[in-house]
């Protein structure tokens, strides 16, 4: 019986899909006009922009340092006004593994208004190199090296996954909102029909009470039930108003709502059947964040390692540093350079305290790895649980849909019977209208169950 019902249902689905409305541009419209998704898109774009310097941080970073200094000596034996400008070209270079290098070439220009040789020029250069002593914590090097080389790619992956999650969420929620709108609109219309039938029923009850065929208690009880039905309708109308007001979140208005509930649901049933919904995004995101946290912690531990520092300075020694002409001061400086003064420095600082952090880095790193593995294991287990719960939920919704379809077919068959009873005079018009209303309410419930399955598939796990 179930197989026959499924076959009939698939035929109906195909017919509605061919002749129903086309909603293929719905997702594009939501993604284009939803302020929530547009905000997520801008955040993703901003993250990409901020990651550009991080992506190219291993390239040499040139810089220019400029400085100006003025000194006035008016009450001295020889008053003077000295203006000095320092221009330095700096080249910074970071190397994966925590190694840093810096080269610098500096030029000093001086001008003294009260001397004959007003212009002065000097030059100096320096180089510095620093690298961590991994001998203190050998296990740290491979993690730092790998982490720093993959850091940009990891951050980019996290940003991309977050955008995918937001996109999937906004699509599922927009379909949910429109489906609720259509189903609730349909349900409100049915409840309004119930109200009209109850008004007719109330008049008949008054006549039965006057004839003594209905007790006062029964009359009051029926009035209470009608009032509860009225309150339920008011609540539905309030919920419907809230749905309408929240359509703006998806860039939609009431004029964008489909005209036919059946074709809408059938379209998304076909969509979820034919489209591969990407699941497990939360797990992928949390795993990527876990890796990033591991690399970040390794970088933090790197700061604890002692560093070996090497620096060198070179400065030409010239017999001529001042001149009356600015250009000559530079040329004469280099022409009269006899030799260079060089200086070198190598140094490092080692803690003599037995409780210093660097002596416990290996143990700390081992603990960090254990925590990472346990967390990764827990994430994987949670993912398996979510997947199993998802599959169970889909299976239960499928069974509910089959049961709702049987209820719908049974209600439709009862309409045929009720029509015959009405024609034979064994059923009054109000009861027949109730039978029609009941069949449409069951049909509305059937659509709601189908929609719940669509929502579950779009949300995924």
């Amino acid at each position: 019986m179930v197989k026959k019902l499924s076959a009939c249902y698939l035929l109906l689905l195909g017919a509605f899909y061919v002749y129903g409305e086309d909603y293929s541009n719905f997702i594009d419209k939501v993604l284009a006009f939803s302020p929530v998704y547009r905000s997520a898109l801008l955040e993703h774009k901003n993250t990409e922009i901020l990651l550009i310097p991080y992506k190219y941080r291993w390239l040499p970073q040139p810089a220019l340092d400029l400085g100006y200094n003025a000194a006035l000596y008016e009450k001295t034996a020889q008053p003077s006004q000295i203006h000095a400008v320092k221009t330095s070209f700096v080249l910074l270079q970071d190397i994966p593994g925590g190694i840093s290098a810096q080269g610098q070439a500096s030029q000093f220009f001086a001008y003294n208004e009260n001397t004959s040789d007003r212009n002065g020029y000097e030059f100096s250069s320096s180089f510095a190199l620093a690298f961590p002593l991994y001998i203190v914590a050998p296990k740290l090097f491979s993690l730092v090296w790998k982490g720093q080389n993959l850091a940009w790619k990891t951050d980019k992956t996290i940003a991309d996954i977050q955008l995918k999650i937001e996109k999937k969420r906004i699509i599922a929620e927009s379909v949910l909102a429109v489906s609720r709108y259509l189903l609730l609109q349909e349900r409100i219309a049915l409840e309004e029909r119930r109200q009209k039938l109850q008004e007719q029923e109330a008049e008949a009850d008054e006549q039965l009470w006057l004839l003594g065929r209905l007790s006062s208690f029964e009359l009051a009880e029926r009035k209470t039930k009608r009032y509860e039905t009225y309150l339920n309708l008011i609540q539905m109308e309030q919920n419907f108003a809230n749905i309408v007001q929240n359509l703006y979140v998806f860039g939609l208005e009431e004029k964008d709502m489909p005209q036919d509930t059946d074709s809408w649901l059938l379209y998304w049933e076909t969509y979820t059947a034919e489209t591969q919904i990407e699941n497990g995004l939360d797990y992928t995101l949390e795993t990527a964040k876990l890796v990033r946290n591991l690399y970040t912690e390794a970088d933090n531990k790197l700061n604890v390692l002692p560093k070996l520092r090497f620096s060198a300075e070179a400065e030409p020694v010239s017999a001529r540093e001042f001149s009356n002409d600015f250009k000559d001061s530079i040329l004469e400086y280099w022409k009269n350079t006899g030799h260079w003064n060089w200086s070198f420095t190598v140094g490092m600082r080692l803690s003599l305290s037995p409780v210093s952090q660097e002596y416990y880095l290996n143990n700390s790193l081992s603990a960090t790895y254990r925590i990472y593995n346990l967390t990764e294991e827990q994430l994987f287990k949670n993912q398996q649980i979510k997947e199993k719960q998802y599959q169970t939920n889909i299976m239960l919704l499928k069974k509910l849909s089959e049961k709702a379809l049987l209820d719908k077919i049974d209600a439709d068959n009862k309409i045929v019977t009720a029509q015959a009873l009405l024609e034979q005079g064994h059923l009054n018009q109000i009861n027949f209208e109730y039978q029609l209303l009941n069949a449409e309410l069951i049909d509305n419930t059937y659509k709601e169950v189908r929609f719940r399955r669509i929502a579950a598939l779009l949300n995924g796990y």
Side-chain angles (χ1 to χ4, degrees):
M1 181 65 180
V2 173
K3 290 183 177 178
K4 290 182 179 179
L5 289 174
S6 299
C8 293
Y9 171 71
L10 289 173
L11 288 172
L12 286 171
L13 188 150
F16 273 106
Y17 183 67
V18 172
Y19 299 106
E21 294 184 50
D22 180 20
Y23 305 107
S24 57
N25 64 342
F26 176 80
I27 291 177
D28 291 336
K29 183 171 185 178
V30 169
L31 297 181
F33 295 103
S34 167
V36 176
Y37 183 72
R38 288 168 67 186
S39 176
L41 206 58
L42 288 172
E43 287 182 9
H44 180 265
K45 186 67 177 177
N46 187 48
T47 301
E48 285 187 327
I49 293 171
L50 294 175
L51 284 175
I52 290 175
Y54 196 60
K55 179 181 180 181
Y56 298 105
R57 62 183 176 141
W58 306 123
L59 294 177
Q61 304 293 323
L64 192 65
D65 284 344
L66 299 174
Y68 168 76
N69 180 58
L72 306 177
Y73 304 97
E74 294 182 353
K75 297 184 178 181
T76 59
Q78 186 178 357
S80 62
Q81 295 183 9
I82 301 173
H83 304 272
V85 177
K86 178 184 177 182
T87 304
S88 299
F89 177 77
V90 183
L91 190 63
L92 304 171
Q93 176 69 64
D94 287 331
I95 302 170
I99 303 170
S100 61
Q102 176 178 323
Q104 179 171 316
S106 302
Q107 299 183 91
F108 299 86
F109 302 94
Y111 175 77
N112 190 337
E113 293 184 353
N114 298 324
T115 60
S116 57
D117 292 336
R118 297 180 177 183
N119 299 283
Y121 172 81
E122 288 184 9
F123 177 85
S124 66
S125 61
S126 63
F127 175 78
L129 178 68
F131 54 91
L133 290 177
Y134 284 104
I135 192 172
V136 176
K139 296 179 181 178
L140 188 60
F141 176 74
S142 60
L143 184 59
V144 169
W145 179 271
K146 185 178 179 181
Q148 290 186 345
N149 278 290
L150 294 177
W152 171 81
K153 187 179 291 185
T154 303
D155 286 343
K156 178 70 166 58
T157 299
I158 289 172
D160 290 343
I161 296 172
Q162 286 174 331
L163 184 63
K164 280 185 179 181
I165 291 174
E166 187 63 25
K167 180 179 179 180
K168 181 180 177 181
R169 186 189 67 80
I170 203 72
I171 290 172
E173 289 187 359
S174 62
V175 174
L176 168 66
V178 174
S179 298
R180 283 179 174 173
Y181 174 96
L182 294 172
L183 291 173
L184 194 54
Q185 185 182 55
E186 191 177 273
R187 183 64 183 270
I188 288 173
L190 294 174
E191 291 299 327
E192 288 174 346
R193 278 175 54 190
R194 189 201 296 271
Q195 287 291 312
K196 292 179 181 179
L197 289 174
Q198 286 183 341
E199 288 174 5
Q200 298 176 29
E201 195 178 46
E203 294 176 3
D205 286 348
E206 289 289 342
Q207 294 298 321
L208 291 173
W209 179 75
L210 290 173
L211 294 173
R213 296 171 61 182
L214 192 69
S215 68
S216 297
F217 176 77
E218 290 173 326
L219 182 65
E221 189 177 39
R222 293 187 181 187
K223 284 183 178 180
T224 301
K225 288 183 178 179
R226 293 186 190 106
Y227 183 69
E228 289 174 351
T229 304
Y230 173 73
L231 291 178
N232 186 44
L233 175 60
I234 297 298
Q235 183 64 52
M236 287 183 184
E237 289 175 342
Q238 183 178 357
N239 293 339
F240 185 75
N242 291 335
I243 291 174
V244 172
Q245 291 172 2
N246 289 329
L247 288 175
Y248 83 94
V249 173
F250 312 104
L252 300 172
E253 299 177 11
E254 275 199 276
K255 64 181 178 63
D256 300 315
M257 296 298 98
Q259 298 301 313
D260 181 62
T261 307
D262 292 304
S263 63
W264 170 260
L265 287 176
L266 287 166
Y267 174 83
W268 289 105
E269 283 173 336
T270 304
Y271 178 89
T272 52
E274 296 178 351
T275 306
Q276 184 67 38
I277 307 295
E278 189 172 4
N279 289 314
L281 289 174
D282 287 335
Y283 169 71
T284 307
L285 176 64
E286 292 305 317
T287 303
K289 285 183 176 179
L290 182 63
V291 172
R292 182 180 64 180
N293 291 342
L294 178 65
Y295 293 155
T296 301
E297 191 164 347
D299 270 345
N300 293 337
K301 294 182 187 301
L302 179 64
N303 295 329
V304 178
L305 281 180
K307 291 185 178 180
L308 179 64
R309 304 180 187 277
F310 169 81
S311 63
E313 294 184 3
E315 183 176 354
V317 179
S318 177
R320 187 76 179 271
E321 297 179 355
F322 298 94
S323 174
N324 187 44
D325 182 74
F326 175 74
K327 183 179 179 181
D328 287 345
S329 67
I330 300 175
L331 295 175
E332 292 299 322
Y333 178 86
W334 288 108
K335 286 179 181 180
N336 292 278
T337 297
H339 63 279
W340 289 64
N341 285 336
W342 294 84
S343 65
F344 302 92
T345 302
V346 178
M348 59 181 298
R349 173 179 289 181
L350 287 174
S351 175
L352 298 178
S353 171
V355 294
S356 185
Q357 292 186 49
E358 57 255 44
Y359 299 121
Y360 295 92
L361 279 178
N362 277 332
N363 293 335
S364 176
L365 189 61
S366 297
T368 299
Y369 266 119
R370 287 198 294 270
I371 293 171
Y372 170 81
N373 291 330
L374 287 172
T375 307
E376 187 180 38
E377 208 174 286
Q378 186 178 355
L379 287 175
F380 181 71
K381 187 64 178 178
N382 290 340
Q383 171 67 7
Q384 287 183 316
I385 293 172
K386 284 183 180 179
E387 184 175 357
K388 189 173 182 179
Q389 289 174 339
Y390 167 78
Q391 297 296 344
T392 302
N393 187 37
I394 294 298
M395 182 183 67
L396 291 175
L397 287 172
K398 182 181 179 182
K399 290 183 177 180
L400 283 175
S401 181
E402 291 171 353
K403 175 64 170 62
L405 178 58
L406 288 172
D407 292 341
K408 171 179 165 52
I409 292 173
D410 182 61
D412 290 341
N413 291 335
K414 284 183 178 178
I415 289 177
V416 177
T417 304
Q419 180 69 43
L421 292 173
L422 178 65
E423 293 172 356
Q424 294 170 10
H426 299 302
L427 191 70
N428 61 36
Q429 185 64 38
I430 291 180
N431 285 333
F432 178 71
E433 292 293 334
Y434 266 120
Q435 190 63 51
L436 292 176
L437 177 63
N438 182 62
E440 292 188 48
L441 286 169
I442 290 174
D443 181 60
N444 184 267
T445 301
Y446 172 51
K447 293 173 185 176
E448 183 180 1
V449 173
R450 288 159 57 196
F451 152 71
R452 286 169 58 190
R453 187 169 183 273
I454 291 170
L457 289 168
L458 288 175
N459 279 305
Y461 59 90

